Amino acid sequence: MNNKKDLIDKLKLYLVTDRKIAKLPLTSVIREALRGGVRAVQLREKDLSSRELYDLAKKIRKITREKKALFFINDRIDIALAAGADGVHLGLQSVPADEARKLTGNKFIIGVSTHSLKEALRAQKEGADYITFGPVYQTPSKEGLVDFKGPGAVKRVREKINIPLIAIGGIKEVNARDVVLMGADGIAVISAIMADGKPYMAARRLVEEL
């Protein structure tokens, strides 16, 4: 991205995929979500083989490019580079952002999942372009793995970091505005769009809340 303002604009509504809960084929959900206002998509399908993930990534890259949306691959730097993605999103067990940067170059966007202020500060120090922070609310995808933080934690992290902060975890239409008021630059959602039978309308409602 040309600057932080452009990046924040694209990350306001960020869709993370989970084809197992989707009511429609994954590519259809993504098309409809982008039409509804999603500006960034992260492909996160951990059970696929490398070839399956690459083939799916190429399809989604085409769709996101048509809509001028950002496209990230979860964790897999090799697939992200091979598929022509805009960036990679790194998790707790991934390589550090500064090491990923050596492999990808300065134009590649690197995001990092964080679950505490300490992790957020470390990600920023290592050169992440943005972080996701959460889970803000209780969410099935992190149940038993990470305690939910509450919207107040978003404010505490926001006060200490200066890179874009995207809130994630249990965020839906009813609470999206709350996390933005606490300082989040955007929201990342999974089930709020993926599990909705009308992803276009789900995305539109979230955009209106934001």
Side-chain angles (χ1 to χ4, degrees):
M1 303 301 294
N2 292 331
N3 55 52
K4 188 165 75 172
K5 182 177 180 298
D6 290 340
L7 181 58
I8 289 172
D9 184 57
K10 292 280 192 180
L11 294 177
K12 277 198 171 84
L13 182 54
Y14 182 125
L15 175 63
V16 181
T17 73
D18 183 350
R19 74 191 193 286
K20 292 181 179 178
I21 65 170
K23 301 289 178 65
L24 301 171
L26 183 58
T27 53
S28 298
V29 175
I30 291 169
R31 283 187 189 279
E32 289 297 293
L34 291 170
R35 195 165 68 87
V38 165
R39 305 289 301 281
V41 176
Q42 180 194 142
L43 179 58
R44 185 179 184 273
E45 303 293 336
K46 295 184 176 183
D47 62 319
L48 294 180
S49 69
S50 295
R51 183 55 188 259
E52 289 170 329
L53 189 64
Y54 169 76
D55 288 344
L56 183 55
K58 289 294 284 185
K59 292 176 184 176
I60 298 173
R61 171 70 288 187
K62 186 172 184 286
I63 296 167
T64 52
R65 185 172 282 131
E66 288 169 359
K67 295 293 185 180
K68 297 181 171 58
L70 292 177
F71 178 45
F72 303 101
I73 305 288
N74 182 72
D75 197 43
R76 293 291 301 271
I77 297 170
D78 56 339
I79 301 290
L81 289 169
D86 296 294
V88 67
H89 189 83
L90 304 173
L92 283 174
Q93 307 302 320
S94 306
V95 299
D98 49 359
E99 293 301 320
R101 181 73 65 199
K102 294 174 185 177
L103 299 170
T104 61
N106 291 328
K107 290 185 178 180
F108 214 63
I109 301 169
I110 296 176
V112 176
S113 292
T114 68
H115 307 91
S116 67
L117 175 58
K118 180 180 179 181
E119 290 175 8
L121 289 169
R122 184 175 66 195
Q124 177 173 264
K125 183 179 179 182
E126 291 174 349
D129 293 299
Y130 74 92
I131 62 165
T132 57
F133 175 77
V136 179
Y137 302 103
Q138 285 183 303
T139 173
S141 66
K142 295 293 183 183
E143 197 164 346
L145 298 174
V146 183
D147 293 334
F148 75 97
K149 310 300 178 183
V154 174
K155 183 178 181 181
R156 292 191 290 274
V157 173
R158 171 77 286 166
E159 289 170 349
K160 300 293 185 180
I161 70 162
N162 55 34
I163 58 175
L165 184 163
I166 311 304
I168 191 169
I171 298 172
K172 303 184 184 301
E173 183 185 349
V174 294
N175 55 31
R177 192 175 300 180
D178 294 340
V179 294
V180 173
L181 289 173
M182 287 294 175
D185 295 298
I187 61 168
V189 299
I190 305 175
S191 62
I193 291 177
M194 294 301 303
D196 195 299
K198 297 180 179 178
Y200 166 75
M201 292 304 301
R204 284 305 314 158
R205 290 194 298 267
L206 286 166
V207 168
E208 288 166 8
E209 284 301 312
L210 296 173

Short mmCIF file of all heavy atoms in Angstrom, two decimals, residues 130-182:
data_model
loop_
_atom_site.label_atom_id
_atom_site.label_comp_id
_atom_site.label_asym_id
_atom_site.label_seq_id
_atom_site.Cartn_x
_atom_site.Cartn_y
_atom_site.Cartn_z
N TYR A 130 0.28 -4.52 10.06
CA TYR A 130 -0.95 -4.41 10.85
C TYR A 130 -1.04 -5.62 11.76
O TYR A 130 -0.34 -6.61 11.57
CB TYR A 130 -2.20 -4.34 9.94
CG TYR A 130 -2.57 -5.66 9.31
CD1 TYR A 130 -3.48 -6.53 9.92
CD2 TYR A 130 -2.01 -6.07 8.09
CE1 TYR A 130 -3.80 -7.76 9.34
CE2 TYR A 130 -2.32 -7.28 7.52
CZ TYR A 130 -3.22 -8.12 8.14
OH TYR A 130 -3.53 -9.33 7.58
N ILE A 131 -1.90 -5.52 12.78
CA ILE A 131 -2.17 -6.67 13.64
C ILE A 131 -3.67 -6.93 13.70
O ILE A 131 -4.47 -6.01 13.53
CB ILE A 131 -1.64 -6.49 15.08
CG1 ILE A 131 -2.33 -5.30 15.76
CG2 ILE A 131 -0.13 -6.36 15.11
CD1 ILE A 131 -2.15 -5.26 17.28
N THR A 132 -4.02 -8.19 13.92
CA THR A 132 -5.36 -8.48 14.42
C THR A 132 -5.21 -8.70 15.92
O THR A 132 -4.19 -9.23 16.38
CB THR A 132 -5.98 -9.71 13.75
OG1 THR A 132 -5.13 -10.85 13.95
CG2 THR A 132 -6.19 -9.47 12.26
N PHE A 133 -6.21 -8.28 16.68
CA PHE A 133 -6.16 -8.44 18.13
C PHE A 133 -7.48 -9.04 18.61
O PHE A 133 -8.56 -8.59 18.26
CB PHE A 133 -5.93 -7.10 18.83
CG PHE A 133 -5.98 -7.20 20.33
CD1 PHE A 133 -4.91 -7.73 21.03
CD2 PHE A 133 -7.12 -6.82 21.03
CE1 PHE A 133 -4.97 -7.87 22.41
CE2 PHE A 133 -7.19 -6.95 22.41
CZ PHE A 133 -6.11 -7.47 23.10
N GLY A 134 -7.34 -10.07 19.46
CA GLY A 134 -8.55 -10.69 20.00
C GLY A 134 -8.23 -12.04 20.63
O GLY A 134 -7.06 -12.33 20.91
N PRO A 135 -9.21 -12.87 20.83
CA PRO A 135 -10.61 -12.61 20.50
C PRO A 135 -11.25 -11.59 21.44
O PRO A 135 -11.07 -11.67 22.66
CB PRO A 135 -11.28 -13.99 20.65
CG PRO A 135 -10.41 -14.72 21.64
CD PRO A 135 -9.01 -14.22 21.40
N VAL A 136 -11.95 -10.63 20.85
CA VAL A 136 -12.58 -9.59 21.66
C VAL A 136 -13.76 -10.17 22.43
O VAL A 136 -13.94 -9.88 23.61
CB VAL A 136 -13.04 -8.42 20.76
CG1 VAL A 136 -13.72 -7.35 21.61
CG2 VAL A 136 -11.86 -7.83 20.01
N TYR A 137 -14.55 -10.99 21.76
CA TYR A 137 -15.70 -11.65 22.40
C TYR A 137 -15.53 -13.16 22.29
O TYR A 137 -14.67 -13.64 21.56
CB TYR A 137 -17.00 -11.21 21.71
CG TYR A 137 -17.23 -9.72 21.74
CD1 TYR A 137 -17.01 -8.95 20.60
CD2 TYR A 137 -17.68 -9.08 22.89
CE1 TYR A 137 -17.22 -7.58 20.61
CE2 TYR A 137 -17.89 -7.71 22.91
CZ TYR A 137 -17.64 -6.96 21.77
OH TYR A 137 -17.84 -5.61 21.80
N GLN A 138 -16.37 -13.88 23.00
CA GLN A 138 -16.32 -15.34 22.93
C GLN A 138 -16.61 -15.81 21.50
O GLN A 138 -17.52 -15.29 20.86
CB GLN A 138 -17.32 -15.96 23.91
CG GLN A 138 -16.88 -15.87 25.36
CD GLN A 138 -17.86 -16.54 26.29
OE1 GLN A 138 -19.02 -16.20 26.33
NE2 GLN A 138 -17.37 -17.51 27.06
N THR A 139 -15.84 -16.76 21.05
CA THR A 139 -15.99 -17.25 19.69
C THR A 139 -15.65 -18.73 19.63
O THR A 139 -14.68 -19.17 20.25
CB THR A 139 -15.10 -16.46 18.71
OG1 THR A 139 -15.15 -17.06 17.43
CG2 THR A 139 -13.66 -16.40 19.18
N PRO A 140 -16.44 -19.53 18.91
CA PRO A 140 -16.17 -20.97 18.82
C PRO A 140 -14.79 -21.30 18.25
O PRO A 140 -14.18 -22.30 18.62
CB PRO A 140 -17.27 -21.47 17.88
CG PRO A 140 -18.35 -20.46 17.96
CD PRO A 140 -17.66 -19.15 18.22
N SER A 141 -14.26 -20.44 17.36
CA SER A 141 -12.98 -20.76 16.71
C SER A 141 -11.80 -20.72 17.67
O SER A 141 -10.75 -21.28 17.38
CB SER A 141 -12.73 -19.80 15.54
OG SER A 141 -12.55 -18.47 16.00
N LYS A 142 -11.95 -20.04 18.82
CA LYS A 142 -10.85 -19.96 19.79
C LYS A 142 -11.22 -20.55 21.15
O LYS A 142 -10.47 -20.41 22.11
CB LYS A 142 -10.43 -18.49 19.98
CG LYS A 142 -9.83 -17.84 18.74
CD LYS A 142 -8.50 -18.46 18.37
CE LYS A 142 -7.87 -17.77 17.18
NZ LYS A 142 -6.60 -18.40 16.77
N GLU A 143 -12.37 -21.20 21.23
CA GLU A 143 -12.83 -21.72 22.51
C GLU A 143 -11.84 -22.72 23.09
O GLU A 143 -11.41 -23.66 22.43
CB GLU A 143 -14.20 -22.40 22.33
CG GLU A 143 -14.92 -22.60 23.64
CD GLU A 143 -16.40 -22.91 23.45
OE1 GLU A 143 -16.92 -22.72 22.33
OE2 GLU A 143 -17.01 -23.36 24.43
N GLY A 144 -11.44 -22.47 24.34
CA GLY A 144 -10.50 -23.35 25.01
C GLY A 144 -9.04 -23.07 24.68
O GLY A 144 -8.15 -23.65 25.29
N LEU A 145 -8.79 -22.17 23.72
CA LEU A 145 -7.41 -21.87 23.32
C LEU A 145 -6.94 -20.54 23.87
O LEU A 145 -5.83 -20.43 24.39
CB LEU A 145 -7.32 -21.85 21.78
CG LEU A 145 -7.65 -23.16 21.06
CD1 LEU A 145 -7.66 -22.94 19.55
CD2 LEU A 145 -6.66 -24.25 21.44
N VAL A 146 -7.78 -19.51 23.74
CA VAL A 146 -7.42 -18.16 24.18
C VAL A 146 -8.64 -17.55 24.86
O VAL A 146 -9.75 -17.65 24.35
CB VAL A 146 -7.01 -17.27 22.97
CG1 VAL A 146 -6.58 -15.90 23.47
CG2 VAL A 146 -5.90 -17.92 22.17
N ASP A 147 -8.44 -16.91 26.02
CA ASP A 147 -9.54 -16.24 26.70
C ASP A 147 -9.96 -15.01 25.92
O ASP A 147 -9.13 -14.30 25.36
CB ASP A 147 -9.10 -15.80 28.10
CG ASP A 147 -8.85 -17.00 29.01
OD1 ASP A 147 -9.45 -18.06 28.78
OD2 ASP A 147 -8.03 -16.86 29.94
N PHE A 148 -11.27 -14.73 25.90
CA PHE A 148 -11.71 -13.52 25.22
C PHE A 148 -11.33 -12.29 26.04
O PHE A 148 -11.24 -12.34 27.26
CB PHE A 148 -13.20 -13.57 24.88
CG PHE A 148 -14.14 -13.35 26.04
CD1 PHE A 148 -14.68 -12.10 26.27
CD2 PHE A 148 -14.50 -14.40 26.86
CE1 PHE A 148 -15.56 -11.89 27.31
CE2 PHE A 148 -15.39 -14.21 27.91
CZ PHE A 148 -15.92 -12.95 28.14
N LYS A 149 -11.09 -11.18 25.35
CA LYS A 149 -10.44 -10.02 25.98
C LYS A 149 -11.41 -8.92 26.39
O LYS A 149 -11.12 -8.15 27.30
CB LYS A 149 -9.41 -9.42 25.00
CG LYS A 149 -8.44 -10.43 24.41
CD LYS A 149 -7.62 -11.12 25.46
CE LYS A 149 -6.70 -12.17 24.87
NZ LYS A 149 -5.95 -12.89 25.89
N GLY A 150 -12.51 -8.78 25.68
CA GLY A 150 -13.43 -7.68 25.93
C GLY A 150 -12.99 -6.44 25.17
O GLY A 150 -11.81 -6.25 24.88
N PRO A 151 -13.95 -5.56 24.81
CA PRO A 151 -13.62 -4.38 24.02
C PRO A 151 -12.67 -3.41 24.71
O PRO A 151 -11.92 -2.69 24.04
CB PRO A 151 -14.98 -3.73 23.74
CG PRO A 151 -15.91 -4.31 24.77
CD PRO A 151 -15.40 -5.66 25.08
N GLY A 152 -12.65 -3.40 26.04
CA GLY A 152 -11.73 -2.51 26.75
C GLY A 152 -10.27 -2.81 26.44
O GLY A 152 -9.43 -1.90 26.44
N ALA A 153 -9.97 -4.07 26.16
CA ALA A 153 -8.59 -4.46 25.84
C ALA A 153 -8.15 -3.85 24.52
O ALA A 153 -6.96 -3.56 24.33
CB ALA A 153 -8.47 -5.98 25.79
N VAL A 154 -9.10 -3.67 23.61
CA VAL A 154 -8.77 -3.03 22.33
C VAL A 154 -8.24 -1.61 22.58
O VAL A 154 -7.23 -1.19 22.00
CB VAL A 154 -10.01 -2.98 21.41
CG1 VAL A 154 -9.71 -2.19 20.14
CG2 VAL A 154 -10.48 -4.39 21.07
N LYS A 155 -8.90 -0.89 23.46
CA LYS A 155 -8.48 0.47 23.78
C LYS A 155 -7.08 0.50 24.39
O LYS A 155 -6.25 1.34 24.03
CB LYS A 155 -9.48 1.11 24.75
CG LYS A 155 -9.17 2.56 25.08
CD LYS A 155 -10.23 3.14 26.01
CE LYS A 155 -9.92 4.60 26.32
NZ LYS A 155 -10.92 5.18 27.26
N ARG A 156 -6.79 -0.45 25.28
CA ARG A 156 -5.48 -0.48 25.93
C ARG A 156 -4.36 -0.75 24.93
O ARG A 156 -3.28 -0.16 25.01
CB ARG A 156 -5.48 -1.52 27.06
CG ARG A 156 -6.37 -1.15 28.23
CD ARG A 156 -6.15 -2.05 29.42
NE ARG A 156 -6.67 -3.40 29.20
CZ ARG A 156 -7.93 -3.76 29.41
NH1 ARG A 156 -8.81 -2.87 29.84
NH2 ARG A 156 -8.32 -5.01 29.21
N VAL A 157 -4.61 -1.64 23.99
CA VAL A 157 -3.61 -1.93 22.97
C VAL A 157 -3.48 -0.76 22.00
O VAL A 157 -2.37 -0.36 21.62
CB VAL A 157 -3.96 -3.23 22.20
CG1 VAL A 157 -3.01 -3.46 21.03
CG2 VAL A 157 -3.90 -4.42 23.15
N ARG A 158 -4.60 -0.18 21.62
CA ARG A 158 -4.59 0.96 20.70
C ARG A 158 -3.73 2.11 21.22
O ARG A 158 -3.04 2.80 20.45
CB ARG A 158 -6.03 1.44 20.48
CG ARG A 158 -6.20 2.74 19.71
CD ARG A 158 -6.00 2.55 18.22
NE ARG A 158 -4.61 2.37 17.85
CZ ARG A 158 -4.22 1.92 16.66
NH1 ARG A 158 -5.11 1.58 15.75
NH2 ARG A 158 -2.94 1.80 16.38
N GLU A 159 -3.76 2.33 22.53
CA GLU A 159 -3.01 3.42 23.14
C GLU A 159 -1.50 3.22 23.05
O GLU A 159 -0.73 4.17 23.18
CB GLU A 159 -3.43 3.58 24.61
CG GLU A 159 -4.84 4.15 24.76
CD GLU A 159 -5.35 4.08 26.19
OE1 GLU A 159 -4.69 3.40 27.03
OE2 GLU A 159 -6.40 4.68 26.48
N LYS A 160 -1.06 1.97 22.82
CA LYS A 160 0.37 1.66 22.87
C LYS A 160 0.99 1.38 21.51
O LYS A 160 2.22 1.31 21.40
CB LYS A 160 0.60 0.44 23.78
CG LYS A 160 0.16 0.65 25.21
CD LYS A 160 1.01 1.68 25.93
CE LYS A 160 0.62 1.79 27.40
NZ LYS A 160 1.42 2.79 28.11
N ILE A 161 0.18 1.17 20.48
CA ILE A 161 0.76 0.87 19.17
C ILE A 161 0.30 1.88 18.12
O ILE A 161 -0.74 2.52 18.28
CB ILE A 161 0.44 -0.57 18.70
CG1 ILE A 161 -1.04 -0.70 18.35
CG2 ILE A 161 0.85 -1.61 19.72
CD1 ILE A 161 -1.33 -1.90 17.49
N ASN A 162 1.09 2.01 17.07
CA ASN A 162 0.73 2.99 16.04
C ASN A 162 0.54 2.39 14.65
O ASN A 162 0.46 3.11 13.67
CB ASN A 162 1.77 4.12 15.98
CG ASN A 162 3.18 3.59 15.78
OD1 ASN A 162 3.38 2.59 15.09
ND2 ASN A 162 4.16 4.24 16.38
N ILE A 163 0.47 1.05 14.56
CA ILE A 163 0.14 0.41 13.29
C ILE A 163 -1.35 0.04 13.31
O ILE A 163 -1.95 0.00 14.39
CB ILE A 163 1.02 -0.84 13.02
CG1 ILE A 163 0.88 -1.87 14.15
CG2 ILE A 163 2.48 -0.44 12.82
CD1 ILE A 163 1.62 -3.17 13.90
N PRO A 164 -1.96 -0.19 12.16
CA PRO A 164 -3.38 -0.53 12.14
C PRO A 164 -3.71 -1.74 13.01
O PRO A 164 -3.01 -2.74 13.00
CB PRO A 164 -3.64 -0.83 10.65
CG PRO A 164 -2.64 0.01 9.93
CD PRO A 164 -1.41 -0.02 10.79
N LEU A 165 -4.81 -1.60 13.75
CA LEU A 165 -5.28 -2.64 14.67
C LEU A 165 -6.66 -3.09 14.20
O LEU A 165 -7.59 -2.30 14.12
CB LEU A 165 -5.36 -2.08 16.09
CG LEU A 165 -5.74 -3.03 17.24
CD1 LEU A 165 -5.36 -2.39 18.58
CD2 LEU A 165 -7.22 -3.40 17.28
N ILE A 166 -6.78 -4.37 13.89
CA ILE A 166 -8.03 -4.95 13.44
C ILE A 166 -8.55 -5.88 14.53
O ILE A 166 -7.87 -6.84 14.90
CB ILE A 166 -7.85 -5.72 12.12
CG1 ILE A 166 -7.08 -4.89 11.10
CG2 ILE A 166 -9.20 -6.19 11.58
CD1 ILE A 166 -7.67 -3.54 10.79
N ALA A 167 -9.72 -5.58 15.06
CA ALA A 167 -10.31 -6.40 16.12
C ALA A 167 -10.92 -7.66 15.51
O ALA A 167 -11.50 -7.61 14.42
CB ALA A 167 -11.36 -5.61 16.87
N ILE A 168 -10.79 -8.78 16.22
CA ILE A 168 -11.31 -10.05 15.73
C ILE A 168 -11.85 -10.88 16.89
O ILE A 168 -11.41 -10.71 18.03
CB ILE A 168 -10.21 -10.84 14.97
CG1 ILE A 168 -10.80 -12.04 14.21
CG2 ILE A 168 -9.09 -11.28 15.93
CD1 ILE A 168 -9.82 -12.70 13.25
N GLY A 169 -12.80 -11.75 16.59
CA GLY A 169 -13.28 -12.68 17.60
C GLY A 169 -14.67 -12.37 18.08
O GLY A 169 -14.86 -11.45 18.89
N GLY A 170 -15.66 -13.09 17.54
CA GLY A 170 -17.04 -12.92 17.99
C GLY A 170 -17.68 -11.61 17.60
O GLY A 170 -18.70 -11.21 18.18
N ILE A 171 -17.11 -10.92 16.63
CA ILE A 171 -17.64 -9.61 16.23
C ILE A 171 -18.77 -9.81 15.22
O ILE A 171 -18.62 -10.49 14.22
CB ILE A 171 -16.53 -8.71 15.66
CG1 ILE A 171 -15.46 -8.46 16.74
CG2 ILE A 171 -17.11 -7.39 15.17
CD1 ILE A 171 -14.24 -7.75 16.25
N LYS A 172 -19.89 -9.17 15.53
CA LYS A 172 -21.09 -9.26 14.69
C LYS A 172 -21.71 -7.88 14.55
O LYS A 172 -21.17 -6.90 15.08
CB LYS A 172 -22.08 -10.24 15.31
CG LYS A 172 -21.50 -11.65 15.53
CD LYS A 172 -22.52 -12.61 16.05
CE LYS A 172 -21.91 -13.98 16.35
NZ LYS A 172 -21.29 -14.59 15.18
N GLU A 173 -22.82 -7.83 13.86
CA GLU A 173 -23.49 -6.55 13.63
C GLU A 173 -23.81 -5.83 14.94
O GLU A 173 -23.67 -4.61 15.03
CB GLU A 173 -24.79 -6.83 12.84
CG GLU A 173 -25.55 -5.60 12.45
CD GLU A 173 -26.88 -5.94 11.79
OE1 GLU A 173 -27.10 -7.12 11.45
OE2 GLU A 173 -27.70 -5.03 11.63
N VAL A 174 -24.18 -6.58 15.98
CA VAL A 174 -24.63 -5.95 17.22
C VAL A 174 -23.50 -5.33 18.04
O VAL A 174 -23.74 -4.48 18.89
CB VAL A 174 -25.38 -6.97 18.11
CG1 VAL A 174 -26.67 -7.40 17.46
CG2 VAL A 174 -24.51 -8.17 18.44
N ASN A 175 -22.25 -5.74 17.80
CA ASN A 175 -21.16 -5.20 18.62
C ASN A 175 -20.02 -4.57 17.81
O ASN A 175 -19.02 -4.13 18.37
CB ASN A 175 -20.59 -6.28 19.55
CG ASN A 175 -20.14 -7.53 18.80
OD1 ASN A 175 -19.71 -7.46 17.65
ND2 ASN A 175 -20.22 -8.69 19.46
N ALA A 176 -20.17 -4.55 16.48
CA ALA A 176 -19.09 -4.03 15.62
C ALA A 176 -18.74 -2.59 15.97
O ALA A 176 -17.56 -2.22 16.04
CB ALA A 176 -19.51 -4.14 14.16
N ARG A 177 -19.75 -1.78 16.20
CA ARG A 177 -19.50 -0.36 16.47
C ARG A 177 -18.74 -0.17 17.79
O ARG A 177 -17.92 0.73 17.91
CB ARG A 177 -20.82 0.41 16.50
CG ARG A 177 -20.64 1.91 16.49
CD ARG A 177 -21.96 2.63 16.39
NE ARG A 177 -22.69 2.29 15.17
CZ ARG A 177 -23.87 2.79 14.85
NH1 ARG A 177 -24.47 3.64 15.67
NH2 ARG A 177 -24.46 2.45 13.72
N ASP A 178 -19.02 -1.04 18.75
CA ASP A 178 -18.36 -0.92 20.06
C ASP A 178 -16.84 -1.01 19.96
O ASP A 178 -16.12 -0.24 20.59
CB ASP A 178 -18.87 -2.01 21.02
CG ASP A 178 -20.34 -1.84 21.36
OD1 ASP A 178 -20.87 -0.72 21.19
OD2 ASP A 178 -20.97 -2.84 21.78
N VAL A 179 -16.35 -1.97 19.17
CA VAL A 179 -14.89 -2.14 19.09
C VAL A 179 -14.24 -1.00 18.31
O VAL A 179 -13.11 -0.60 18.60
CB VAL A 179 -14.50 -3.51 18.50
CG1 VAL A 179 -14.90 -4.63 19.42
CG2 VAL A 179 -15.07 -3.73 17.12
N VAL A 180 -14.96 -0.45 17.35
CA VAL A 180 -14.43 0.70 16.60
C VAL A 180 -14.36 1.92 17.52
O VAL A 180 -13.38 2.69 17.49
CB VAL A 180 -15.27 0.97 15.35
CG1 VAL A 180 -14.82 2.27 14.67
CG2 VAL A 180 -15.15 -0.19 14.36
N LEU A 181 -15.36 2.09 18.35
CA LEU A 181 -15.34 3.20 19.31
C LEU A 181 -14.20 3.07 20.31
O LEU A 181 -13.74 4.06 20.86
CB LEU A 181 -16.68 3.28 20.04
CG LEU A 181 -17.87 3.75 19.21
CD1 LEU A 181 -19.17 3.63 19.99
CD2 LEU A 181 -17.67 5.19 18.73
N MET A 182 -13.74 1.85 20.53
CA MET A 182 -12.61 1.62 21.43
C MET A 182 -11.26 1.81 20.73
O MET A 182 -10.22 1.64 21.35
CB MET A 182 -12.69 0.21 22.02
CG MET A 182 -13.77 0.05 23.06
SD MET A 182 -13.42 1.04 24.54
CE MET A 182 -14.92 0.78 25.48
#
